Amino acid sequence: MPRPDEPGSHASPPAAPPGLRRRVHELLESSPGVDSAGGLVTLAIVVLILLNAVAFTAETVPEIGGRYARLFALFDAVSVAIFTAEYALRLWSSAEALGYNHLPAWRARLLYALRPLMLVDLAVILPFYLAFLIGIDLRVLRVLRLFRFLKIARYSHALQTLGRVIVNERRALAGALLLMLTLLLLSSTGMYFLEREAQPNTFGSVPQAAWWGLATLTTIGYGDAVPVTALGKLFGGIVMIVGVGMFAVPIAILATGFSQEAARHQFLVTWSMVARVPLFAQLDAAAVARVMQLLHSKSVLAGTYIVRAGEEGDAMYFIASGEAAVETGDEPVILTEGDFFGEMSLVYDRPRSHTVTARTNCRLLVLDRGDFERLCHHHPEIRQHIRRVADERLNMGSRQPPRKTA
Ligand code: CMP
């Protein structure tokens, strides 16, 4: 049904079917393994990005670039056309994105267009069109094509994690950078005073000596600039020892940040977490401990699809913290801490009835299908309760859903 802000809700221009817009959004935003058609779209875009990187590199080899110039130009034009279509579809369907779907469509698109990954997508296609308008130098245009490779960040969890780690650890990294610069300045100045007379061409100024400082402190040691005086060698030795420790600091900060980020996604399922779920509240301590062994953890970021309507259901979920939205009709049903979802597929043995999305960052307790059967076998009262909730939700499907379920 079109929303009031949509043109389709008035007489004039007919809006595209909202189902189509929603499907396009799902296809473009799905992660591999969740939606097979969406996975194919993702794969096709990633392959195109990689081919662009290969073409960019190959074109700089004079024999290849010269001989296949027309082929490269054609590939470039086709790539830009595909990336433009992808950008336009992303923008058009962004009115369906979680967190944006309550806004007027034009506002949702404007805000969505300002998201960092959308700006990268725009930077990929813009130079091509600007070249027509203002005539950018071909060499600059060629360098700007490197932006295309940045698009891969959308599909690489590792790059996104690295980005988050750098943002999280920015203060510690800035502190380490300041220390490194101080050390570089001190070592270069020291070496300048000790070596400038013996080697005026290599250590004649502090910036010149800084080349030696950088190569030494980073342990690269090109060997093109080396101290020759006894004092210079002694000082150089001290700088080497200090440098090894100092330049390892940012690496240690990043490594710690990575492991903390990984821990955020996998948390320990604790006794109290399970006991807080109302469904398990009636169990004695030993039974809670047994349930704990069946559950595993999963953290999802706000806006992520947790289950999708139509796909096979292989698990049900309990919310340990955060909020999830069951996308039923116009108004989503909001589930919060202690609630569960995904049980209908397991109870009725059929595909997911609705899409469920994380409204905030969520910590979920996951019960796989096999463990669900095991749990129900040992605790028929739990099976009854889950079945009752599933039946209620099934009935609600034909009526107006409430804002919140127990
Ligand atoms: P399942 O069909 O496996 O996947 C989607 C889930 O959404 C479904 O199980 C239920 O857990 C949940 N769900 C469906 N309808 C409602 C509703 N009206 N209220 C709350 N949750 C629901």
Side-chain angles (χ1 to χ4, degrees):
M1 202 196 293
R3 272 195 281 278
D5 52 84
E6 291 286 307
S9 60
H10 306 290
S12 54
L20 176 67
R21 196 171 69 180
R22 166 133 206 106
R23 186 68 191 128
V24 168
H25 177 67
E26 284 179 1
L27 281 178
L28 289 170
E29 295 295 327
S30 72
S31 13
V34 176
D35 177 323
S36 45
L40 280 180
V41 172
T42 301
L43 188 68
I45 297 175
V46 169
V47 167
L48 188 63
I49 296 170
L50 294 179
L51 284 178
N52 265 271
V54 172
F56 174 84
T57 319
E59 217 182 333
T60 59
V61 180
E63 301 87 67
I64 303 178
R67 188 189 295 180
Y68 302 107
R70 291 183 65 178
L71 204 63
F72 280 121
L74 181 69
F75 176 68
D76 192 44
V78 171
S79 300
V80 173
I82 295 175
F83 289 145
T84 307
E86 181 214 342
Y87 181 79
L89 286 174
R90 265 187 209 286
L91 204 58
W92 172 63
S93 63
S94 62
E96 298 288 339
L98 194 85
Y100 295 80
N101 48 7
H102 62 284
L103 299 170
W106 67 268
R107 191 134 191 266
R109 287 182 188 128
L110 184 68
L111 290 177
Y112 200 81
L114 294 175
R115 284 166 66 143
L117 288 176
M118 284 299 279
L119 290 177
V120 169
D121 284 351
L122 186 65
V124 164
I125 52 175
L126 211 56
F128 186 85
Y129 296 106
L130 282 183
F132 281 114
L133 293 179
I134 53 174
I136 302 178
D137 185 327
L138 267 183
R139 279 165 305 180
V140 176
L141 201 61
R142 196 166 284 173
V143 172
L144 289 180
R145 266 200 271 159
L146 259 187
F147 273 127
R148 288 182 200 176
F149 199 67
L150 290 184
K151 270 172 86 74
I152 210 89
R154 189 190 284 280
Y155 306 102
S156 161
H157 289 299
L159 277 184
Q160 286 175 13
T161 306
L162 178 63
R164 274 200 301 278
V165 170
I166 290 175
V167 171
N168 292 347
E169 305 294 336
R170 61 189 179 283
R171 285 198 188 85
L173 285 172
L177 186 72
L178 196 68
L179 273 178
M180 279 154 56
L181 287 177
T182 310
L183 198 59
L184 178 63
L185 186 69
L186 288 179
S187 58
S188 314
T189 310
M191 203 49 112
Y192 157 72
F193 281 119
L194 293 172
E195 289 285 319
R196 64 181 164 170
E197 269 155 34
Q199 302 184 74
N201 289 338
T202 319
F203 293 95
S205 66
V206 173
Q208 264 183 316
W211 175 245
W212 167 85
L214 207 56
T216 306
L217 286 170
T218 53
T219 71
I220 301 292
Y222 284 126
D224 57 342
V226 287
V228 290
T229 64
L231 269 181
K233 284 181 182 173
L234 181 69
F235 183 69
I238 296 170
V239 171
M240 283 174 211
I241 293 166
V242 177
V244 169
M246 210 47 251
F247 275 67
V249 171
I251 298 168
I253 293 172
L254 285 179
T256 315
F258 257 107
S259 78
Q260 278 171 354
E261 195 62 24
R264 258 196 279 277
H265 289 277
Q266 282 293 318
F267 57 93
L268 207 61
V269 178
T270 60
W271 196 90
S272 70
M273 242 178 233
V274 177
R276 271 208 308 270
V277 174
L279 180 64
F280 303 130
Q282 50 189 310
L283 302 179
D284 60 37
V288 171
R290 271 200 305 276
V291 171
M292 216 174 101
Q293 313 228 298
L294 299 179
L295 297 165
H296 60 268
S297 66
K298 182 172 180 174
S299 290
V300 285
L301 294 174
T304 314
Y305 292 107
I306 305 168
V307 306
R308 270 175 206 276
E311 71 186 22
E312 284 305 308
D314 51 2
M316 67 175 287
Y317 302 85
F318 299 88
I319 303 178
S321 67
E323 286 187 359
V326 183
E327 301 186 13
T328 54
D330 287 342
E331 277 284 281
V333 178
I334 309 303
L335 302 176
T336 56
E337 192 178 314
D339 289 340
F340 60 82
F341 60 90
E343 79 295 345
M344 283 165 69
S345 289
L346 306 188
V347 169
Y348 306 124
D349 198 15
R350 61 184 208 191
R352 299 287 187 202
S353 57
H354 295 91
T355 295
V356 183
T357 320
R359 264 187 114 213
T360 61
N361 292 349
C362 281
R363 302 210 297 173
L364 304 170
L365 306 175
V366 188
L367 183 64
D368 291 328
R369 186 182 278 275
D371 293 327
F372 168 77
E373 301 295 347
R374 229 160 281 145
L375 180 69
C376 289
H377 179 73
H378 290 295
H379 296 280
E381 73 283 8
I382 289 185
R383 176 197 287 279
Q384 265 174 15
H385 182 102
I386 293 179
R387 171 106 211 181
R388 201 170 51 245
V389 173
D391 289 345
E392 276 168 19
R393 288 175 173 174
L394 189 67
N395 290 336
M396 272 180 218
S398 50
R399 291 185 268 124
Q400 185 66 12
R403 278 293 299 166
K404 168 86 179 69
T405 60

